[in-house]
């Protein structure tokens, strides 16, 4: 569908890269080193793929300065080839612009305010008192409940639900199946039965956030659940009520964060990690995959829990010994004492 | 939107609390201790917030008797302030009542029976032979398949799917994205290919249950998957076919329960815990976050697995030693014997 | 709803089983051993249920030859009773056939091609340039985006989303809430802010695959995310961009697979297991529930990680000792040396 092409020289100038080789080389799309042909651009960022560079038939390759030496081919030299590649690739995959108007199959409440520059897709639903900003896209099958706000240029791809009192900033991207603003899980036990604690807060999502497919972000019990700007959440993440996530933090798929926890800025949370409720994690903390955070963290750095993968028979032996670990340690203490 | 107000004295009487201070104090909404103003009510339940009580400008505070001493302010004294708060907060956040009728954009099969007091929202779909009870709400974008029953006063908030043979009791609340009654994961390997085992059971959900956003509950292979009354499931929980969950059990987000397992009454399952299939867990068992239950449990109590969070360098050392744990234990045994 | 019945003799002949007892015994449905009546068929596969066989009032039971001895009842003897049962049960629960045509409430783009033998259900949406094959069913509330292909006889049960460039083979079954083809989670940090790496690949799903409820499969960054034929994914699984899964591999619920990982054929991945990115797992690997795979696996077999479930007090002691494990091992080494 794309027919726009760029020369290597034009790309170098547009993104401030230094060109080596044939500035007239034409790029019509991007590809992997292994898959690229002469009219495609590729990149080398991860050193493990360096061996592919020699064999690649890519017309243009984005590389670091130290990887450029001795290569007889057209190169764009970048400080960070992955960043440069991302920007170049975006030329060939433009973000869809809103096609303004309300699809006739959509159902919009009379009290909702839809900007004339917004797009409400087929079979979408917009509830009472909600406001859709200019250039925003509410894709097919989305349900926007009551008292929500969608900022300018935000995009709900398809089948997203904003339940109640959800306020999205500008340029927020939400993938299908995500549910924002459902009731937080607030319960109190009263005479042997659960009673529900009303969830009167909302969800506030900062500018430039991205929310993955089937991710859930509950609204707050009293105050709001809050994501700072440029927070990036992958698929199937669960953010409980009253969690606060600092700007530029990114979480891989399937992370679970329990209620009222605060996470700092520039944190990286690995896939399927768990974070318990009512704790605080400072800025620039990295949590590795499937680790469980059970207490506050006040120093930047990388944290882990769990045990390494083993063949099942060996693992059974180690696991059985784990049960006896306290007794084993006491035995060693005793041996140490007896010796002296 | 709410304009109803209550005096402290009226709340005391309504909920059987004992009043101290100004019975005429007017409450128009609820708030946190830190955020409440003079026309708001707050509560103190978790002792860690006691220090906020002195500074709070809340007009009325719900407290335990032992926290009430020496305070010159309007108090409602409760045995369980959180329960009392939940009941008071509900006055300001009433459960939406059904707005009876079928939205013109909804699609209802001719053989379905919708009670005249039920509400079928925009762009919802009700399949063959399904029955929607009085006061029930099927929210926007829900899909109800064949042979389902929704009891009186139940509410499917939005975009919920009941696939087939799902029977909800009364006052059941289901949040967006939940899928009840999909095929259980039944497979048999036949000559190198999987064949599907038909899933002919249903899902039965008791009265007063709550099912979180994007939670999935599969229907049974032959008999039903069953939730007792007042079971509370948070978001993104997976309940496999033929699981049975006892009344009043609550599960935090992202729990996974494998097929044919039975869980007792009044259990508390921590976030992202896993429970394998074909086991039985007795009443009043607590499982901590991210623990894995691999065998039946027949004594009430609290159970855990996993390792504590550590800085990544220290963790690598411990993890490497975990691999050698059996050898280490044998070495200690040998040292103990040699010594004697 | 089903009224077809079969005699034991007819079933024996149809599926190549050997009959003992009354060939005229009529079967009108299937049931568990404990629940079956005289006009129902049941099976014994798992030896733990053998004791139920004597008491069962089932009219016909499918058993292995070694379990058939000395039983005065009607039996169908099979090499694999579970496989035979699955095939028999399917007679009583036929796969729904497409009811060809486009429901008037569905929205189909003018450039989409819907085979006349395909069914597009109520409130479904089919996007630009997508193609729906003969006998395919797009159930209620599904959203098919741009440039997707659905092969002959495939079925999207309800509320499935195919975002962009998703190509399903034949006879693929996708359960509600699944999202295929959302953007992979590709980010690059540029001057303190995340920039999005365009995701230009697609998703390719082989023939006879099954995708569970609320499972997510992202499309590739440059090349495609690929599932071989007969791959079976349970609910709430997350498959990141550019993952490749070999034919006949099955995954239980809540598994997470990170980007660019390759998984072999005939693997069995236990519930809530995690697999990190950029690794390779060979054929016929079994991963137990909640294990984390952090490096490539090149030998078939069963692999595990984690610690066993313990009562919380004992677990706290073991967990504390895990932190000290390296020091403990060094102490044992020292004791060993001193002794000599």
């Amino acid at each position: 569908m794309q027919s726009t092409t760029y020369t290597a020289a034009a790309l170098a100038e547009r993104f401030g890269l230094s060109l080596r080789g044939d500035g007239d080389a034409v790029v019509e799309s991007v590809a992997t080193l292994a898959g690229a042909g002469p009219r495609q651009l590729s990149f080398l960022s991860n050193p493990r793929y360096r061996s592919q560079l020699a064999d690649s038939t890519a017309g243009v390759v984005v590389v670091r300065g130290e990887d450029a030496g001795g290569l007889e081919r057209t190169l764009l030299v970048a400080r960070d080839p992955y960043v440069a590649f991302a920007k170049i690739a975006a030329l060939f995959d433009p973000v869809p612009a809103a096609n303004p108007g309300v699809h006739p199959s959509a159902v919009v409440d009379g009290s909702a305010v839809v900007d004339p520059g917004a797009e409400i897709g087929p079979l979408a639903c917009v509830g009472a008192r909600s406001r859709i900003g200019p250039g925003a896209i509410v894709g097919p099958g989305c349900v926007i409940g009551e008292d929500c706000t969608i900022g300018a240029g935000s995009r709900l791809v398809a089948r997203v639900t904003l339940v109640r009192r959800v306020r999205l900033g500008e340029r927020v991207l939400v993938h299908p199946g995500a549910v924002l603003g459902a009731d937080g899980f607030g319960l109190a036990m009263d005479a042997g039965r659960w009673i529900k604690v009303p969830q009167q807060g909302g969800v506030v999502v900062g500018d430039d956030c991205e929310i993955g497919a089937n991710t859930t972000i509950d609204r707050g019990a009293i105050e709001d659940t809050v994501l700072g700007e440029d927070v990036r959440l992958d698929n199937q993440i669960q953010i409980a009520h009253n969690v606060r996530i600092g700007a530029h933090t990114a979480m891989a798929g399937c992370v679970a964060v329990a209620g009222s926890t605060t996470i700092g800025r520039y944190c990286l949370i690995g896939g399927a990690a768990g974070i318990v409720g009512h704790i605080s994690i400072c800025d620039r903390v990295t949590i590795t995959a499937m680790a469980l955070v059970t207490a506050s963290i006040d120093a930047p750095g990388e944290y882990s829990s769990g045990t390494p993968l083993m063949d099942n028979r060996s693992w059974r032996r180690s696991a059985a010994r784990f049960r006896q670990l306290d007794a084993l340690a006491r035995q060693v203490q005793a041996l140490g004492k007896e010796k002296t």
Side-chain angles (χ1 to χ4, degrees), chain A:
Chain A
M1 287 158 283
Q2 301 298 334
S3 55
T4 319
T5 62
Y6 299 83
T7 63
L11 293 172
E13 190 184 341
R14 184 171 190 138
F15 296 110
L17 307 173
S18 98
L19 168 72
R20 304 205 189 163
D22 177 14
D24 293 332
V26 169
V27 175
E28 60 185 30
S29 62
V30 298
T32 60
L33 277 177
R39 292 171 71 89
Q40 292 183 295
L41 172 142
S42 191
F43 73 107
L44 174 64
S45 177
N46 189 332
R48 79 163 73 182
Y49 296 114
R50 194 173 289 154
S51 63
Q52 295 184 3
L53 183 55
D55 298 333
S56 176
T57 57
V60 181
V61 183
V62 186
V63 296
R64 277 193 198 80
E66 62 260 38
D67 291 325
L71 292 171
E72 297 288 321
R73 58 190 314 156
T74 302
L75 299 174
L76 294 172
V77 180
R79 198 177 46 80
D80 185 334
Y82 191 48
V83 166
F85 173 79
K87 292 176 176 174
I88 294 169
L91 296 176
F92 299 100
D93 191 42
V95 174
N99 183 6
V102 176
H103 193 277
S105 65
V107 178
V108 178
D109 187 272
S111 63
V113 179
V114 177
D115 186 274
E119 170 181 348
I120 309 295
L123 304 166
C125 189
V126 181
R129 298 170 304 278
S130 286
R131 308 177 72 92
I132 316 297
I137 301 177
V138 175
C142 289
V143 175
I144 313 300
E146 299 86 41
D147 302 297
C148 294
T149 308
I150 299 179
S154 287
R155 181 174 176 225
L156 281 54
V157 173
R159 263 190 56 230
V160 168
T161 308
L162 308 187
V163 183
R164 277 175 87 181
R165 294 191 287 270
V166 178
R167 302 189 288 290
L168 305 184
E170 304 194 352
R171 298 171 305 280
V172 172
L173 175 58
V174 189
H175 293 288
V179 178
L180 281 66
D183 287 0
F185 195 58
L187 297 171
M189 181 55 79
D190 183 36
R193 300 188 69 83
W194 293 110
I195 62 170
K196 190 170 171 63
V197 181
Q199 303 291 304
Q200 307 192 5
V203 174
V204 176
V205 176
D207 295 342
D208 300 302
C209 286
E210 182 169 357
I211 313 289
N214 284 352
T215 281
T216 49
I217 305 177
D218 281 351
R219 65 178 199 271
I222 298 179
E223 299 179 337
D224 295 327
T225 304
V226 180
L227 272 64
E229 62 165 345
D230 194 30
V231 168
R232 305 289 177 145
L233 303 185
D234 195 359
N235 297 346
Q236 302 210 33
I237 288 171
Q238 151 69 357
I239 305 294
H241 51 179
N242 299 104
V243 166
R244 303 181 72 93
I245 304 178
H248 315 295
T249 283
M251 298 190 185
C254 305
V255 168
V257 185
S260 299
T261 277
T262 297
I263 298 174
R265 294 156 54 94
Y266 290 108
C267 292
L268 299 172
I269 313 294
I275 302 179
V276 304
H278 295 276
I279 65 171
S280 181
I281 295 177
C282 67
D283 295 350
R284 297 186 187 277
V285 165
T286 295
I287 304 295
T288 57
M290 281 181 80
L292 175 64
V293 184
T294 52
S296 291
I297 296 178
D298 55 13
E302 186 176 8
Y303 296 86
S304 303
S305 71
T307 77
L309 195 78
M310 301 169 70
D311 71 87
N312 183 263
R313 253 182 79 183
S314 305
W315 173 80
R316 283 178 183 278
R317 285 196 289 261
S318 285
R321 295 299 186 181
F322 181 85
R323 287 184 190 273
Q324 310 158 348
L325 209 46
D326 190 52
L328 185 72
R330 289 173 190 280
Q331 206 177 341
V332 173
Q333 277 175 345
L335 285 170
K337 277 183 191 149
E338 283 166 17
K339 175 186 58 74
T340 54

